[in-house]
């Protein structure tokens, strides 16, 4: 009965709500992936060289902390076994010489990591004003530079010995991707295809200027709402209004761009139709 009432209410609202214009976000599907175990996290890389020094530490594990060097994941993903009932704290860290830093620390539980994932290519600045158009990030540093444009990799030392390094990591469900943007400011990341699973990014920075080593200033777990399956209208949550937007698209009252269509295709059959709206309704009454 509950499902039927929701469906009737949604159909009535389709007729009265105004058309919401679609945004133009870049999105290209690259491949499908799968995490088969609910106690496994997978770590991937994109554009990262074997000299990468960034890593994730998962703490509060009774079996001890777990460290993942992304340079060891260049040619194949690395798996880390976890205890799903425990809370873990992901840290993104970079080091420069003998100095290292950590960014992050918010606790998370990884209870629903098993399931379907996909690799997608996006232009970072389309999804967050945090990034420059080339995918870099400009941050304040000490004089004589004032600012520096970080490229999320270990940069070659300057002629005077000064050096900068940074890292960028994405997390979606149980998939982590450490990425270096390409020349177009794009990255390929692993994201969940399950309804309501959110995607986050974290950054960390480090520099050596003269004899001074500094860093920090990155962000921890900043959500990219436009990548959450089921959140069709990208308003930070999956609710009945997302099912309504799908119904409007099916009858031609609104038009989705590729990114919105991806968020709406929740049953992953490559077709946006009323069945996707029904899936969201079922998700909401679980």
């Amino acid at each position: 009965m509950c499902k039927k009432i929701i469906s009737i209410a949604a159909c009535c609202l389709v007729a009265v709500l105004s058309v919401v214009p679609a945004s133009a976000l870049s999105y290209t599907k690259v491949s499908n992936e799968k995490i088969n175990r609910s106690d496994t996290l997978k770590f991937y890389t994109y554009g990262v060289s074997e000299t990468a020094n960034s890593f994730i530490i998962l703490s509060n594990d009774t079996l001890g902390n777990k460290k993942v060097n992304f340079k060891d994941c260049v040619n194949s993903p690395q798996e880390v076994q976890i205890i799903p009932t425990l809370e873990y704290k992901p840290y993104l860290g970079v080091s420069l010489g003998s100095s290292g830093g950590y960014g992050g620390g918010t606790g998370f539980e990884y209870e629903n990591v098993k399931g379907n994932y996909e690799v997608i290519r996006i232009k970072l600045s389309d999804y967050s004003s945090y990034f420059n158009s080339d995918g870099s990030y400009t941050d304040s540093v000490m004089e004589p530079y004032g600012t520096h444009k970080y490229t999320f990799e270990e940069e070659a030392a300057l002629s005077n010995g000064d050096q900068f390094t940074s890292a960028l990591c994405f997390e979606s469900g149980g998939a982590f991707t450490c990425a270096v943007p390409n020349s177009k400011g794009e990255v390929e990341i692993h994201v969940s295809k399950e309804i309501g699973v959110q995607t986050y990014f974290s950054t960390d920075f480090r520099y050596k200027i003269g004899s001074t080593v500094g860093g920090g200033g990155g962000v921890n777990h900043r959500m990219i709402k436009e990548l959450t399956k089921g959140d069709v209208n990208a308003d930070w949550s999956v609710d009945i209004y997302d099912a309504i937007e799908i119904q409007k698209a099916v009858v031609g009252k609104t038009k989705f761009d590729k990114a919105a269509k991806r968020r709406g295709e929740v049953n992953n059959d490559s077709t946006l139709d009323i069945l996707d709206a029904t899936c969201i309704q079922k998700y909401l009454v679980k």
Side-chain angles (χ1 to χ4, degrees), residues 22-273:
S23 57
L25 297 175
S26 64
Y27 158 70
T28 303
K29 181 177 178 179
V30 178
S31 64
N32 288 316
E33 301 284 340
K34 194 174 185 65
I35 294 181
N36 296 314
R37 294 168 57 101
S38 60
D39 62 348
T40 298
L41 303 182
K42 279 195 173 183
F43 294 82
Y44 304 87
T45 61
Y46 173 75
V48 175
S49 71
E50 293 182 355
T51 61
N53 57 21
S54 55
F55 49 86
I56 292 286
I57 290 181
L58 303 173
S59 61
N60 199 28
D61 185 340
T62 56
L63 299 180
N65 293 339
K66 300 180 184 297
K67 180 190 295 184
V68 176
N69 285 301
F70 280 110
K71 63 183 179 181
D72 298 329
C73 308
V74 171
N75 296 317
S76 60
Q78 186 170 345
E79 295 186 356
V80 169
Q81 299 298 307
I82 61 169
I83 300 174
T85 56
L86 294 183
E87 180 181 83
Y88 293 84
K89 296 182 179 180
Y91 291 87
L92 178 62
V94 297
S95 61
L96 193 57
S98 59
S99 176
Y102 299 95
T106 303
F108 291 90
E109 292 183 357
Y110 299 96
E111 296 182 311
N112 300 303
V113 302
K114 181 179 179 180
N116 296 304
Y117 291 76
E118 62 183 344
V119 183
I120 64 173
R121 183 185 306 117
I122 62 172
K123 183 175 175 62
L124 288 173
S125 59
D126 283 354
Y127 287 80
S128 175
S129 59
Y130 181 89
F131 299 98
N132 298 322
S133 61
D134 61 358
S136 63
Y137 176 76
T138 302
D139 197 21
S140 299
V141 297
M142 62 182 292
E143 297 297 336
Y145 301 97
T147 61
H148 181 74
K149 189 167 73 171
Y150 288 96
T151 57
F152 301 112
E153 59 189 334
E154 184 172 358
E155 303 169 37
L158 303 176
S159 58
N160 61 1
D162 294 348
Q163 192 173 8
F164 301 85
T165 188
S166 52
L168 167 65
C169 180
F170 296 86
E171 178 184 352
S172 184
F176 291 76
T177 309
C178 184
V180 176
N182 63 20
S183 60
K184 297 179 181 179
E186 301 170 331
V187 293
E188 291 182 7
I189 58 177
H190 290 69
V191 294
S192 176
K193 296 171 68 175
E194 307 297 330
I195 298 177
V197 178
Q198 298 165 338
T199 300
Y200 308 86
F201 72 87
S202 301
T203 60
D204 199 23
F205 308 100
R206 207 104 186 126
Y207 63 79
K208 182 177 75 69
I209 299 175
S211 59
T212 301
V213 175
V219 297
N220 176 47
H221 263 72
R222 180 170 293 187
M223 192 173 89
I224 305 178
K225 56 184 174 55
E226 293 85 359
L227 294 180
T228 304
K229 277 274 194 171
D231 186 8
V232 182
N233 57 9
D235 67 350
W236 305 93
S237 64
V238 179
D239 53 33
I240 192 60
Y241 295 105
D242 296 301
I244 293 169
E245 286 300 311
I246 294 174
Q247 292 174 337
K248 288 166 62 178
V250 170
V251 298
K253 288 186 174 292
T254 191
K255 186 177 181 180
F256 290 170
D257 65 4
K258 288 183 178 180
K261 185 178 180 182
R262 173 193 171 271
R263 296 195 300 274
E265 291 177 349
V266 293
N267 65 356
N268 300 310
D269 65 355
S270 300
T271 302
L272 185 72
D273 54 29

